[in-house]
Amino acid sequence: MKKTYIIALVIMTSATFSLVQAKDKKDKKVKPVTVEQNAQIKLVSSSDSISYAAGMAATEGLVPYLQQQLGVDTANMAEFVKGFKEAQLRVKDPAFKAYAAGMQIAGMVNDRIMPNMKTDFVGSNDSINSANFNEGFIAALKNDTTLFTQKTASKMFSDKRTAIRDSKNAVYKKENEDWLKTNANKEGMKTTASGLQYKVLIAGKGATPKATDKVTVKYEGRMIDGTVFDSSYKRNPQTTSFHCNEVIKGWTEALTMMPVGSKWEVCIPQALAYGSSQAGQIKPYSTLVFTVELISIDK
């Protein structure tokens, strides 16, 4: 997106305007809005011209934004313009603001909130269906406690989601533990007292850093299924520097055993990595597999 639009909220709610107008016909307190199409304009003064030009300039990058971010088909630009005009006429109408906000939140629910909640239930015996989700959402907003109070509903959902996550985590944790048992038997793989596994790919002949030393390394990190979650090789420069005691325990232990010039494969059990915590795309109880090159100790 080329620009941040001051009129973003108006744009996001433009699809609601014709619906609002239909609703207004039932509301005697609010007069229907009539939008003049193809209005002729005359530029009499310099201010008229610069105002008109400013309006045109403000649309730079807008069409791609409408297409890519809001899913607007440019074949329906006449409807978009109609909605924009109606919004400008009713922008200070409290009832219209509330209605438009409802449409905006509906988009957020459908695009982000509900899909994220559904994800946790994938692979379980339960699932979230859109119809009941929306009814529960509306009931909470209307303070309708016929079926649940919001507190009861929130606890029910949270408990169920936690139980599903714990079950999935238990399966994933065992999968990683079994992988480490098998990996320990691979040729050249060594295991320390802490459970750290490493294999020397290139034996360096330089000094070995202490925990307080700052080092420069190249590395690639991946999950046991081969998914790469971080790699200095894909950046410029390819090296990165830090103190050995500023990283996860498995890294600190490995680095303080590696002579400069070494290249190792290091397999770090979850207890020496992030444990039960989620770290970006790294799931709880993940074993981390790194290829590490120790370039130098920085004095």
Side-chain angles (χ1 to χ4, degrees), residues 106-134:
M108 293 170 60
V109 166
N110 292 332
D111 294 341
R112 298 195 297 275
I113 298 173
M114 195 189 317
N116 288 341
M117 288 182 156
K118 284 183 174 181
T119 299
D120 287 327
F121 289 79
V122 173
S124 72
N125 295 326
D126 291 304
S127 61
I128 295 177
N129 67 74
S130 301
N132 283 4
F133 180 99
N134 289 334

Side-chain angles (χ1 to χ4, degrees), residues 67-219:
Q67 293 173 310
Q68 298 166 17
Q69 301 298 321
L70 303 182
V72 174
D73 187 338
T74 52
N76 296 315
M77 284 303 291
E79 289 301 309
F80 170 81
V81 170
K82 180 181 177 182
F84 178 81
K85 287 183 176 181
E86 291 186 17
Q88 293 289 24
L89 291 173
R90 299 191 56 191
V91 70
K92 295 182 179 181
D93 181 348
F96 174 78
K97 285 185 178 181
Y99 189 88
M103 294 294 289
Q104 182 180 344
I105 296 300
M108 293 170 60
V109 166
N110 292 332
D111 294 341
R112 298 195 297 275
I113 298 173
M114 195 189 317
N116 288 341
M117 288 182 156
K118 284 183 174 181
T119 299
D120 287 327
F121 289 79
V122 173
S124 72
N125 295 326
D126 291 304
S127 61
I128 295 177
N129 67 74
S130 301
N132 283 4
F133 180 99
N134 289 334
E135 288 300 320
F137 191 93
I138 293 168
L141 293 174
K142 295 169 65 176
N143 198 28
D144 180 353
T145 58
T146 304
L147 298 178
F148 300 117
T149 65
Q150 188 175 44
K151 183 177 181 180
T152 301
S154 295
K155 186 176 187 308
M156 175 188 292
F157 175 76
S158 178
D159 288 349
K160 188 67 175 180
R161 180 169 61 178
T162 298
I164 291 172
R165 285 178 174 176
D166 288 347
S167 177
K168 289 181 179 180
N169 285 341
V171 172
Y172 184 68
K173 182 180 180 182
K174 186 176 186 307
E175 180 183 345
N176 278 259
E177 290 171 346
D178 291 344
W179 185 91
L180 282 167
K181 290 177 183 178
T182 301
N183 193 63
N185 296 321
K186 290 184 177 179
E187 183 178 356
M189 192 65 65
K190 300 178 181 179
T191 305
T192 69
S194 69
L196 180 76
Q197 297 178 0
Y198 69 96
K199 179 179 181 179
V200 178
L201 304 177
I202 298 175
K205 300 185 182 299
T208 301
K210 301 186 295 293
T212 54
D213 284 337
K214 186 177 183 180
V215 296
T216 295
V217 302
K218 295 181 181 180
Y219 70 91

Side-chain angles (χ1 to χ4, degrees), residues 254-273:
L255 288 170
T256 53
M257 295 189 296
M258 293 178 68
V260 171
S262 295
K263 182 177 182 179
W264 287 11
E265 179 179 309
V266 181
C267 307
I268 305 177
Q270 55 90 11
L272 300 177

